[in-house]
């Protein structure tokens, strides 16, 4: 937990294939982080894992990720786009909150839960066609986490 938290001089990271989850707060406050390579073995992005990584412009999530935790990418103000893999079922509360540069996100039909305020403060956000199908769920994400029926 918080393995590299607040390492303000950390600019890049290549994680080994033995890593299966990015633990809670692992890179929290790494404000100079501009690139990170996540191995295909990663299945969980923990709560606040990249919270406050304000210099991170993009990240590629492995195809095995199933959960994006609460506030996982909160305040990643340089993040411009992200594609959620088809394996993801849960996007946690505030997962992308205040990602003010986020202009594009692709969310697959596999997502069954979008948490409270998952995209609050994403003032530049446009939605992909896949997300258009979830607009009803997304609009309610500001209040409650709903399951698709």
């Amino acid at each position: 937990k918080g393995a590299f938290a607040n390492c303000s001089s950390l600019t890049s990271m290549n994680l080994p294939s033995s890593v299966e989850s990015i633990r809670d707060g692992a890179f929290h406050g790494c404000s100079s982080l501009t690139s990170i390579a996540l191995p295909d073995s990663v299945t969980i992005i923990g709560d606040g894992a990249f919270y406050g990584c304000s210099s991170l412009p993009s990240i590629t999530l492995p195809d095995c990720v199933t959960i994006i935790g609460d506030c996982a990418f909160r305040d990643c103000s340089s993040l411009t786009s992200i594609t959620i893999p088809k394996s993801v079922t849960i996007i946690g509360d505030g997962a992308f909150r205040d990602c003010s540069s986020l202009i594009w996100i692709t969310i697959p039909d596999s997502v069954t839960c979008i948490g409270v305020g998952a995209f609050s403060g994403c003032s530049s956000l446009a939605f992909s066609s896949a997300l258009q199908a979830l607009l009803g769920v997304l609009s309610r994400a500001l209040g409650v986490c709903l399951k698709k029926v």
Side-chain angles (χ1 to χ4, degrees):
K1 191 170 182 173
F4 298 97
N6 299 310
C7 290
S8 59
S9 61
L10 182 66
T11 59
S12 65
M13 176 70 72
N14 288 315
L15 297 172
S17 60
S18 59
V19 174
E20 295 178 358
S21 67
I22 307 300
R23 304 287 295 227
D24 295 353
F27 295 94
H28 181 273
C30 293
S31 57
S32 298
L33 187 66
T34 58
S35 70
I36 186 160
L38 301 178
D40 290 337
S41 54
V42 171
T43 60
I44 296 172
I45 307 294
D47 296 347
F50 296 97
Y51 190 143
C53 292
S54 56
S55 297
L56 189 65
S58 65
I59 189 166
T60 300
L61 298 179
D63 288 335
C64 292
V65 171
T66 58
I67 297 171
I68 299 173
D70 296 347
C71 299
F73 295 96
R74 184 175 180 168
D75 289 331
C76 289
S77 56
S78 295
L79 189 65
T80 58
S81 67
I82 191 161
T83 298
I84 307 296
K86 292 179 181 175
S87 54
V88 172
T89 58
I90 297 171
I91 298 174
D93 295 349
F96 295 94
R97 185 181 183 113
D98 297 324
C99 292
S100 56
S101 296
L102 188 62
I103 56 172
W104 186 258
I105 187 163
T106 301
I107 299 178
D109 290 339
S110 61
V111 174
T112 58
C113 182
I114 297 174
V116 176
F119 302 98
S120 292
C122 296
S123 55
S124 303
L125 189 60
F127 301 108
S128 73
S129 58
L131 184 59
Q132 294 295 332
L134 295 174
L135 278 179
V137 174
L138 181 59
S139 66
R140 292 177 294 227
L142 297 174
V144 294
C145 180
L146 301 174
K147 303 280 185 195
K148 284 198 310 190
V149 185

